[in-house]
Amino acid sequence: MKSLLLVAHGSRREASNQEVRTITKILQKNNQQQETADFVAIRCAFLELASPSIPEGIDQCIETQTETIIVMPYFLSAGRHVSIDIPEIVAKKQAEYPNKEIILASHLGAIEEIPDLILSSLQSLKL
Amino acid sequence: MKSLLLVAHGSRREASNQEVRTITKILQKNNQQQETADFVAIRCAFLELASPSIPEGIDQCIETQTETIIVMPYFLSAGRHVSIDIPEIVAKKQAEYPNKEIILASHLGAIEEIPDLILSSLQSLKL
C-alpha cells in the first residue's frame, strides 16, 4: 500500500501550479488504468509559493493509511532544492512518522528515458 | 537537414548548466544510434546566466548548414519564459534568417508521455 507525492517548486503564476495539478490528475487516471494500480493515492505539493506545502502533502498521503509514501521531485535539475531543501523536509517528516516509510525518489530530470522521449516527441513534429 | 537546439533556463550553479550539457551529449549519442539520424547537429543554449545564449545557439545551428532549426525549451512549465521570452527571441532570429526555418517545439513538460514515464520509473524503485 503506497502513495505518491509529486513535489513541484510552486510559482506566483497560478497557471503554472495548475499545470502541476493537471499532471497529478493524469497520473491518478493512468495509475487507475493499470491492471494493478501502483498507488492508493497520488497527490501533489509545492516547495513554496503554492499549497499544499510538502509537509501538508505528506500528511495527506499518511491519511490514506498507506505504509509507504514516495516523494518525487518534479524538477529537471538537481539544484539546491532537490539536493538539500526537499531531503531536509522529508527527513523531518520521516522522524515524525517512524512507522511509515517515506522514500525520496529521483527527480524527474534524472529519468534515463528523457532524452529518448525528447527525440521521439520531435519525430512527430510535422516539418 | 535539420538541427536541434535544446534551450534551458540557465543557472548560477554551474553544475545545473552542466546537467543540460550532459543531456545534450546523450541526445547527440542517441540521435547517432538511430538507423537514420534525425538531426545533423544537436546543441544547447541558455535563456540567461550561462552561455551560449539562445541567439548564439541558433547561430551555431545555422553554421551547420541545416535548413531547419528546431528549438526545444527544456522547461517543465509554460511560464513567461516559454510563452513569451523564448518565442520573441526565436521570432527575431527567424526575421534575421528568412531563408531558414526556425521552429519552436513544445516545451518538455508538454510531452504527453511524461506521466507514464513517471509511473514506470517508480515501478523500478526497490521497495
Side-chain angles (χ1 to χ4, degrees):
Chain A
M1 295 274 285
K2 49 189 178 155
S3 53
L4 169 62
L5 186 67
L6 190 72
V7 169
H9 185 281
S11 169
R12 284 185 191 84
R13 281 180 72 253
E14 190 46 40
S16 288
N17 302 328
Q18 209 51 48
E19 281 184 76
V20 177
R21 296 189 184 103
T22 300
I23 288 273
T24 306
K25 279 185 193 152
I26 298 170
L27 282 170
Q28 290 166 345
K29 190 177 144 215
N30 294 12
N31 175 62
Q32 286 300 332
Q33 283 173 348
Q34 292 180 20
E35 210 165 308
T36 314
D38 289 328
F39 299 100
V40 173
I42 298 179
R43 302 277 184 271
C44 63
F46 300 90
L47 180 63
E48 54 188 44
L49 300 169
S51 67
S53 67
I54 302 174
E56 288 167 348
I58 292 176
D59 286 343
Q60 287 178 10
C61 290
I62 284 174
E63 282 164 18
T64 64
Q65 310 294 327
T66 46
E67 297 309 307
T68 302
I69 296 107
I70 297 176
V71 177
M72 179 176 191
Y74 187 65
F75 284 69
L76 281 178
S77 168
R80 188 192 154 83
H81 294 322
V82 166
S83 58
I84 299 174
D85 300 337
I86 297 174
E88 279 182 0
I89 295 169
V90 168
K92 271 188 203 163
K93 276 291 177 188
Q94 181 66 74
E96 187 180 336
Y97 297 105
N99 296 328
K100 301 285 184 178
E101 190 176 30
I102 307 178
I103 295 172
L104 186 56
S106 296
H107 64 293
L108 180 70
I111 299 179
E112 279 183 5
E113 290 82 0
I114 295 261
D116 279 335
L117 187 65
I118 291 173
L119 289 177
S120 66
S121 81
L122 295 175
Q123 278 174 342
S124 60
L125 267 186
K126 282 176 191 161
L127 296 182
Chain B
M1 296 276 284
K2 48 189 179 157
S3 53
L4 169 62
L5 185 68
L6 191 72
V7 169
H9 185 281
S11 168
R12 282 183 193 85
R13 280 180 73 254
E14 190 46 40
S16 288
N17 303 328
Q18 209 50 48
E19 281 185 76
V20 177
R21 295 189 185 104
T22 300
I23 287 273
T24 305
K25 278 184 194 151
I26 298 169
L27 282 170
Q28 289 166 347
K29 188 177 145 215
N30 294 11
N31 175 62
Q32 287 300 333
Q33 283 173 348
Q34 291 180 21
E35 208 164 309
T36 315
D38 289 328
F39 299 100
V40 172
I42 298 180
R43 301 279 185 273
C44 64
F46 300 91
L47 181 62
E48 54 189 44
L49 300 169
S51 69
S53 67
I54 303 173
E56 287 166 350
I58 292 175
D59 286 343
Q60 286 178 9
C61 289
I62 284 175
E63 281 163 17
T64 64
Q65 310 294 326
T66 47
E67 296 309 307
T68 302
I69 296 107
I70 297 176
V71 177
M72 181 177 191
Y74 188 65
F75 284 70
L76 281 177
S77 168
R80 186 192 155 84
H81 294 323
V82 166
S83 58
I84 298 175
D85 300 337
I86 297 174
E88 279 181 2
I89 294 169
V90 168
K92 270 187 205 164
K93 276 293 180 188
Q94 180 65 75
E96 187 180 335
Y97 297 105
N99 296 329
K100 301 284 184 179
E101 190 177 30
I102 307 177
I103 295 172
L104 185 57
S106 296
H107 63 293
L108 179 71
I111 299 179
E112 279 184 5
E113 289 83 0
I114 295 262
D116 279 335
L117 187 65
I118 290 174
L119 289 177
S120 66
S121 80
L122 295 175
Q123 278 175 341
S124 60
L125 266 187
K126 281 177 191 160
L127 296 182

